[in-house]
Amino acid sequence: MQRKTPSCVVFSHGYEESDALRKLSTLAILLAATAFLAGARLPPQGPMPEPRPDAGQATNPTSPSSEKAEPPAPEEVPAPQPKPDLKDPQAPVPHPPPAPQAAPSKPEPAEPMQGPPRPPGSPESSQPPEEAKPPGEQTLEEQNLTIEPESDAEHAECTAALQSLGVVFKDTPRIDDGNGCGIDKPIIVSEALPGIKLKPEATMRCPAALALARWMKDSVIPAASAALPEQGRITTVNQATSYMCRLRNGAGTGKISEHARGNAIDIASFHFEKGEDVAVRSRREDSTLTGAFQRTVSVAGCLYFTTVLDPESDAAHETHFHLDVIERKGGYRYCH
């Protein structure tokens, strides 16, 4: 009896052949794909980015001038400038731009300050200098002062008061020495009170003479009677300065002196019937009755005058009393 070959062997052999064919097919496909990829090349130029929507008219990306047409980076633009509306090609371009148009209207008023100084003979030379001198550095001529007018009624009332006190005086014509120096209604006083000479005669305004008479009557004579009774009564008041056209303390610049307006008088000494004259000098440390007399009349002067300067004030008044009737705001008085 003949033995049959198992059918499983034949199936196995057929399976191995078909598997080998699949491998060969796969290898062939891979080789073909490799050959295809090896022959493939990239395009000479990659895709260009799309232009921005607000960049205006499109430019050719391949054109050599396309990089120059691109707007500069924001940090390279110093400041935005006004430009025409690109959406409307017919819109007129403003010339000059709106912002610079406001500038030409300003130089017209500012021109006199920015331009060079005009020569002295030009029509504009009457304008004041850019840097005017402060009042303390001006001369009398530079201050352009005028004489203060006096009321007729007030002057008549004042002279009536002088007459009631026994002051000997006379009227004199108006004084005008220029530059504000002068007196509208001056008087010349020869006796401060009855029997008390004023030497030399003093030219002043009536209010200054009235203050002097009241000071002498109510303060100086009583103080002298109390401190120096042995010397008798005062017979003469020696004055150093009454009216004089000058600045304060005789300086070359500064405020005008009240002497130049007839409001001031300087008292240098008092002459008595007996004994020595009492000269005005520094007596702060003088413990005698003479020192007490001078200090008393100096302090009392502020009851009648608005300014009192004595030898203790400064070096300019070491030898006299300066007494004036200047009017200040609020009735302020300066007494030293």
Side-chain angles (χ1 to χ4, degrees):
M1 184 174 172
Q2 192 177 8
R3 191 178 179 179
K4 295 182 179 181
T5 303
S7 59
C8 63
V9 176
V10 177
F11 176 79
S12 174
H13 179 72
Y15 176 79
E16 290 178 355
E17 289 181 355
S18 60
D19 183 60
L21 290 175
R22 282 197 302 273
K23 291 180 177 180
L24 289 175
S25 299
T26 301
L27 181 59
I29 292 171
L30 292 175
L31 291 174
T34 302
F36 176 77
L37 293 175
R41 293 185 303 172
L42 294 174
Q45 184 174 358
M48 297 297 295
E50 293 294 331
R52 291 165 46 187
D54 58 348
Q57 297 179 356
T59 57
N60 185 3
T62 60
S63 173
S65 62
S66 61
E67 295 180 358
K68 297 181 180 180
E70 292 180 2
E75 59 270 12
E76 297 177 0
V77 181
Q81 300 292 332
K83 57 184 179 180
D85 189 3
L86 296 177
K87 296 181 181 180
D88 186 4
Q90 300 299 326
V93 179
H95 183 75
Q101 284 181 352
S105 61
K106 295 182 180 179
E108 187 171 345
E111 185 178 356
M113 292 187 295
Q114 296 178 357
R118 293 180 172 84
S122 64
E124 299 295 333
S125 61
S126 60
Q127 295 181 355
E130 294 182 0
E131 295 183 0
K133 293 181 181 179
E137 298 180 5
Q138 293 180 354
T139 64
L140 185 59
E141 293 77 8
E142 293 172 334
Q143 297 183 40
N144 300 317
L145 302 174
T146 58
I147 299 173
E148 298 180 358
E150 298 185 61
S151 166
D152 291 339
E154 292 179 355
H155 181 71
E157 182 181 354
C158 179
T159 55
L162 288 181
Q163 292 172 349
S164 66
L165 290 171
V167 178
V168 179
F169 69 95
K170 63 182 178 181
D171 292 321
T172 188
R174 185 176 188 268
I175 300 173
D176 187 353
D177 291 332
N179 302 314
C181 291
I183 307 173
D184 189 25
K185 292 177 171 57
I187 62 172
I188 299 175
V189 180
S190 56
E191 290 190 16
L193 285 175
I196 301 179
K197 301 289 185 179
L198 185 60
K199 290 186 177 179
E201 294 179 338
T203 301
M204 63 182 74
R205 290 179 63 236
C206 183
L210 185 58
L212 176 65
R214 289 173 174 171
W215 175 61
M216 289 291 301
K217 179 179 182 292
D218 298 335
S219 297
V220 177
I221 292 176
S225 298
L228 307 168
E230 71 282 358
Q231 293 194 200
R233 67 182 185 89
I234 297 176
T235 59
T236 304
V237 176
N238 298 302
Q239 62 96 5
T241 310
S242 54
Y243 170 77
M244 179 180 288
C245 182
R246 62 174 174 83
L247 298 179
R248 292 182 181 179
N249 300 329
T253 58
K255 293 184 178 181
I256 190 171
S257 171
E258 291 307 303
H259 288 283
R261 297 184 181 276
N263 289 328
I265 186 168
D266 293 343
I267 304 300
S269 65
F270 301 93
H271 179 72
F272 290 78
E273 287 180 312
K274 307 171 187 177
E276 298 179 354
D277 291 356
V278 176
V280 177
R281 64 171 186 261
S282 179
R283 296 183 185 274
R284 178 180 295 174
E285 305 300 330
D286 186 351
S287 58
T288 66
L289 288 173
T290 301
F293 164 75
Q294 179 178 301
R295 291 193 298 271
T296 299
V297 298
S298 175
V299 172
C302 208
L303 300 175
Y304 311 94
F305 297 91
T306 56
T307 304
V308 176
L309 300 173
D310 64 14
E312 315 305 335
S313 300
D314 52 34
H317 301 90
E318 288 181 341
T319 59
H320 62 273
F321 293 138
H322 169 88
L323 312 170
D324 71 47
V325 291
I326 184 176
E327 294 183 5
R328 298 186 180 91
K329 294 181 180 179
Y332 173 75
R333 300 187 175 212
Y334 183 84
C335 303
H336 191 282

